[in-house]
Amino acid sequence: LVEGVVKAKAAGEVAKTAVHSTNIVERAMVPGPAKSDLLTSTMQILGRAALIAGANIDSDKAIKSVLAVIRANPNDDKLLESAMYALGNLVNSPDAVRALVANGGIE
């Protein structure tokens, strides 16, 4: 996703789809390389969508999804790197910081 190429509204919809896809993959797939690759991709997409100025992203749902991935996959370095990238880009407002705290991202 590139700012100027992807409109803010579209970036918000892409983020929503990434969160939804993450939740489905996390629940429905057995652990393994395919699951890891899909989750890594959804985290990267979510992180990129958050960089688009004006993107309307539900911070609470997105951050909750990213934290669930982090907690469920503590030994997958590639996936954790993508999840931290997404989390770093998502926490860009006071509401997002509150969502991070409310979902146990900061203790």
Side-chain angles (χ1 to χ4, degrees):
L1 300 174
V2 179
E3 189 169 3
V5 175
V6 176
K7 294 181 181 178
K9 182 177 179 181
E13 290 300 316
V14 167
K16 183 177 177 181
T17 300
V19 169
H20 185 67
S21 298
T22 298
N23 295 339
I24 289 171
V25 169
E26 193 62 58
R27 283 192 320 264
M29 290 186 73
V30 296
K35 180 177 182 177
S36 177
D37 287 347
L38 284 170
L39 289 173
T40 298
S41 294
T42 62
M43 292 295 102
Q44 290 171 348
I45 290 168
L46 192 53
R48 289 184 188 128
L51 293 174
I52 305 297
N56 185 14
I57 298 173
D58 184 334
S59 296
D60 188 59
K61 286 183 181 179
I63 289 169
K64 187 175 185 176
S65 181
V66 173
L67 291 174
V69 167
I70 291 170
R71 289 183 184 115
N73 301 280
N75 299 315
D76 188 333
D77 290 342
K78 181 179 167 188
L79 176 53
L80 290 174
E81 182 179 345
S82 294
M84 293 307 295
Y85 169 77
L87 193 59
N89 291 339
L90 286 165
V91 182
N92 60 6
S93 71
D95 285 341
V97 172
R98 284 189 278 279
L100 181 63
V101 172
N103 288 294
I106 298 177
E107 297 178 5

